[in-house]
Amino acid sequence: QMTLVESGGSLVQAGDSLRLSCVASGGTLSRYAMGWFRQAPGKEREFVASVAWNAGRKYYRESVRGRFTISKDNANNTVYLQMNSLKSEDTAVYTCAAARFPFGLGDRPSDFGSWGQGTQVTVAE
């Protein structure tokens, strides 16, 4: 099981951009799909984006498509989430996750087996 550490969360204004990073240790990202999830206060965790093990296919939830971009740097064992045109409804704790099995790709929490602690993103109106 990998250890994942997120960074990059902050308080920003609506319309601003942020880039979240997630560094993995104890495993190599080159074999695993990675995902980002978020959880707002009082709400269930929801899928944001995922990227295939080879950084090919990418999935996004509808509300972030066109604004967020997930990318994967296998050489540095890091996955990123570039977030542009942020909205107040994007406010949440963002958590990265590594797929449960090699060479998979999914968008459900059950598809992922290693989770970070999360980083807070707050978007003010």
Side-chain angles (χ1 to χ4, degrees):
Q1 195 169 21
M2 279 187 255
T3 298
L4 305 174
V5 179
E6 304 94 337
S7 63
S10 182
L11 168 63
V12 296
Q13 298 295 312
D16 285 352
S17 298
L18 272 180
R19 188 177 78 158
L20 305 183
S21 301
C22 172
V23 179
S25 60
T28 175
L29 293 192
S30 62
R31 301 175 65 201
Y32 290 88
M34 296 295 294
W36 285 95
F37 291 77
R38 67 186 183 187
Q39 187 168 19
K43 296 186 177 180
E44 293 189 356
R45 181 168 54 191
E46 62 183 21
F47 167 78
V48 177
S50 62
V51 57
W53 63 276
N54 61 354
R57 288 179 297 161
K58 298 177 182 180
Y59 292 151
Y60 297 94
R61 72 178 296 105
E62 184 60 36
S63 63
V64 307
R65 189 173 293 120
R67 299 188 298 122
F68 290 12
T69 303
I70 189 170
S71 60
K72 194 164 171 277
D73 181 349
N74 287 333
N76 290 303
N77 252 19
T78 302
V79 62
Y80 302 98
L81 184 67
Q82 176 67 43
M83 306 185 295
N84 299 328
S85 301
L86 283 161
K87 304 176 181 179
S88 58
E89 51 262 44
D90 295 319
T91 294
V93 174
Y94 285 71
T95 304
C96 72
R100 189 176 298 278
F101 301 108
F103 309 120
L105 178 61
D107 60 1
R108 301 167 299 176
S110 60
D111 294 326
F112 297 85
S114 298
W115 296 83
Q117 293 299 306
T119 185
Q120 176 71 47
V121 173
T122 303
V123 184
E125 295 276 355

